[in-house]
Amino acid sequence: MRKTSPANRGAKIILFSTPKLVQYMFQDHVVMSEDEMTNILSQGVSGNIGIMGFTEFDLEMDTKILLPVRDLARKIMEPNGIKIVF
């Protein structure tokens, strides 16, 4: 930290997976339709998309949630539908 300039001290690096980024954007009120979300989420994916997170009734984190892309977009849009960790 001594070699870090005072202007950059306390800066953090945040890594988002594509699903987490889409969820963050939606929660931050970036206006996106379900089709736009599906388009972003489907980049580089064929079939189901795997995420790490919590669904509505989970008591602990599930490391292998597999959903079709459109279903994931719908879960992101519904309140308390899914909490994506990565």
Side-chain angles (χ1 to χ4, degrees), residues 11-79:
K12 297 178 183 176
I13 297 172
I14 300 173
L15 297 174
F16 283 157
S17 63
T18 303
K20 178 65 178 177
L21 176 64
V22 170
Q23 184 176 46
Y24 180 81
M25 290 170 61
F26 182 76
Q27 290 173 342
D28 204 33
H29 306 293
V30 174
V31 178
M32 282 190 290
S33 69
E34 183 180 323
D35 289 333
E36 290 170 324
M37 279 188 194
T38 301
N39 186 27
I40 294 170
L41 291 168
S42 65
Q43 299 301 310
V45 176
S46 61
N48 291 341
I49 188 166
I51 59 169
M52 181 187 314
F54 300 88
T55 56
E56 187 174 7
F57 299 109
D58 286 342
L59 297 176
E60 56 186 52
M61 185 174 55
D62 189 351
T63 58
K64 296 252 180 170
I65 299 172
L66 293 171
L67 292 168
V69 175
R70 188 155 301 274
D71 290 349
L72 178 58
R74 288 180 185 141
K75 286 238 182 240
I76 289 171
M77 294 175 80
E78 74 182 53

